[in-house]
Amino acid sequence: MALFSSTVEKNEEERQQALEVSNDFQSSQKNVGVDLGYGFIKLIGAVGEVKFPSIVGLGGELQYSTSLSFNKNELDLNNLMVKLNHETYFVGNLALRQSDIATRSLDSHRVNDKNSSVLMLTALGLLSKRDNEVFNLVTGLPISNYNSHKEWAQKMYGQHEVAFIGDKTDRPKRFTLKKIHVIPQPLGTFYDQLLNSSGGITNKDLADLMIGIVDIGYKTTGYAAVNNLEMVEHLSYSNDNALSNAYRMVAAYLRKEYGINKEIFELDNILEKGWLKIAGKLQDIENTKNEIFEKVASKIVTDILSIWDYKEFDLIYLTGGGGQALAKYILPHFPNMRLVDGPQHANVRGYQKLATNLFSQ
């Protein structure tokens, strides 16, 4: 699978010339990247890197919310209540707190998954800053489900309207999704290393290298091999041995040890802190978390060794939120592997850079 069109191969001088001659219509469009992860939705907003949990629940009118005012200048990511097609949804942390039935289970194919549409349109609504904005989007799908990308994109094209309940503007966001470019998820990290923020090639050495990418997410882990700027398909795939396995084991431990039931999507903060409160007392679970993470990491190491001869790779990138969480257990096994900077947002940074490259013509 070729990664590049002639657009990507433009040098920096050609790119600057192309940007200077963009007409008014082109400059009115916004080129964006969105990472529709199973754990978190990631995007690059005006304030930088943004994320919110990939959780959706049916919404409704809240009888009371706090009267305290903290920061009302921006839409509060902790209180995302959106209205789409006459339906109201709680999204992210608000769904976790307030929905009777909340779910993080994005369908692996996403074509008929209502949650994926709600989450993507919420993300684009957050990026929309003026009326009737036109978006050109780059996003990713797991390698093993990539063959459904055209059908998924076809459902997302066109005009949309998203209303954020409680938004100070009190106006719906209307926008058009004009162009969609979908790539295998882990390649976002590759583009992040290859391109600069203007979409030009900044690391030409990668063109001559055999690169591996291990992208550990919440529900899937992607293994992508790239040689001479082309994905080697027989060495690239994804499976469901990912961070959610660790979450399930932690949930089972909490049930057995403390007699409490926690939904998988309730464990983010607990695992990040390494402790939780039970009956007002702090319970340290850091050691248990580390033992479980090491077990999941060991299985991922086995998966890597079963599909790749790691010595054939010049460099292997470890990426994703799961990559960050499991790095200390995986890196010692591979001398040519390194954890990328800002791994949880590496894919979406690559999507954003590629969008700038492909659509700034």
Side-chain angles (χ1 to χ4, degrees):
M1 177 182 295
L3 300 186
F4 291 91
S5 66
S6 59
T7 306
V8 180
E9 294 169 343
K10 288 181 179 178
N11 61 35
E12 195 61 30
E13 182 179 354
E14 290 173 331
R15 171 153 303 283
Q16 292 302 320
Q17 291 174 350
L19 290 174
E20 289 172 3
V21 300
S22 294
N23 60 36
D24 291 341
F25 177 72
Q26 288 173 319
S27 63
S28 70
Q29 300 179 64
K30 182 176 286 188
N31 305 322
V32 299
V34 175
D35 184 358
L36 203 64
Y38 291 107
F40 291 88
I41 307 302
K42 280 86 67 178
L43 55 140
I44 309 296
V47 295
E49 296 175 351
V50 174
K51 69 174 184 178
F52 58 88
S54 305
I55 303 172
V56 176
L58 286 178
E61 183 178 355
L62 295 177
Q63 298 302 311
Y64 175 76
S65 59
T66 180
S67 300
L68 297 176
S69 176
F70 295 98
N71 181 9
K72 297 300 184 182
N73 293 324
E74 295 290 338
L75 192 64
D76 187 356
L77 290 176
N78 287 314
N79 294 286
L80 291 175
M81 189 189 313
V82 301
K83 190 171 184 179
L84 298 166
N85 299 321
H86 309 293
E87 291 280 356
T88 301
Y89 302 93
F90 295 152
V91 175
N93 287 318
L94 183 62
L96 176 61
R97 299 195 314 269
Q98 295 286 0
S99 289
D100 291 332
I101 300 175
T103 179
R104 186 180 241 164
S105 57
L106 289 166
D107 185 270
S108 59
H109 295 283
R110 299 196 180 167
V111 175
N112 298 313
D113 180 27
K114 192 174 185 179
N115 280 1
S116 68
S117 297
V118 171
L119 291 166
M120 177 59 79
L121 294 177
T122 298
L124 293 173
L126 290 171
L127 290 169
S128 178
K129 299 303 179 186
R130 61 175 182 267
D131 288 340
N132 299 315
E133 200 148 23
V134 176
F135 286 113
N136 301 315
L137 170 71
V138 171
T139 189
L141 287 175
I143 295 172
S144 297
N145 305 122
Y146 182 70
N147 58 3
S148 66
H149 73 280
K150 291 182 180 178
E151 188 179 355
W152 178 83
Q154 194 64 39
K155 289 200 168 193
M156 296 301 299
Y157 283 120
Q159 295 181 332
H160 301 279
E161 181 175 298
V162 179
F164 289 93
I165 311 301
D167 181 10
K168 64 176 183 176
T169 64
D170 198 31
R171 295 167 59 186
K173 305 286 187 74
R174 298 182 180 89
F175 54 84
T176 298
L177 195 46
K178 182 183 178 185
K179 297 178 181 178
I180 303 174
H181 187 76
V182 184
I183 66 175
Q185 262 174 352
L187 297 187
T189 290
F190 182 78
Y191 284 115
D192 184 40
Q193 302 299 314
L194 181 74
L195 304 176
N196 59 28
S197 59
S198 299
I201 296 177
T202 189
N203 191 351
K204 295 181 180 179
D205 292 341
L206 292 184
D208 300 320
L209 301 181
M210 180 71 167
I211 302 293
I213 305 145
V214 178
D215 178 16
I216 307 174
Y218 174 78
K219 187 176 178 181
T220 63
T221 295
Y223 305 89
V226 178
N227 190 22
N228 293 320
L229 303 181
E230 189 169 83
M231 191 173 83
V232 184
E233 296 200 11
H234 72 275
L235 293 177
S236 303
Y237 85 113
S238 59
N239 64 21
D240 59 2
N241 181 37
L243 209 55
S244 59
N245 290 343
Y247 278 45
R248 282 191 288 271
M249 286 188 272
V250 170
Y253 167 79
L254 295 177
R255 284 194 299 271
K256 180 179 178 181
E257 189 71 16
Y258 300 108
I260 62 172
N261 290 303
K262 289 288 184 181
E263 296 288 347
I264 300 299
F265 55 74
E266 295 181 281
L267 296 177
D268 290 322
N269 289 332
I270 293 172
L271 290 175
E272 185 176 339
K273 294 181 294 188
W275 55 265
L276 74 162
K277 274 188 178 182
I278 300 176
K281 294 183 179 180
L282 294 182
Q283 302 293 337
D284 189 335
I285 64 165
E286 185 70 20
N287 289 337
T288 299
K289 181 191 83 170
N290 288 337
E291 291 173 5
I292 290 173
F293 277 18
E294 187 169 13
K295 289 179 182 178
V296 174
S298 178
K299 179 63 169 64
I300 291 173
V301 169
T302 300
D303 288 343
I304 294 171
L305 294 174
S306 69
I307 61 170
W308 292 343
D309 179 354
Y310 74 88
K311 296 184 291 297
E312 293 183 350
F313 289 84
D314 296 293
L315 179 63
I316 301 174
Y317 291 122
L318 181 62
T319 187
Q324 182 172 354
L326 304 179
K328 66 180 179 179
Y329 309 110
I330 297 176
L331 290 176
H333 295 273
F334 305 100
N336 52 344
M337 178 183 285
R338 74 171 182 85
L339 181 68
V340 301
D341 294 334
Q344 190 168 44
H345 283 82
N347 280 342
V348 75
R349 289 197 303 270
Y351 299 162
Q352 182 68 57
K353 292 174 180 180
L354 183 59
T356 301
N357 179 291
L358 292 177
F359 303 129
S360 297
Q361 301 182 44

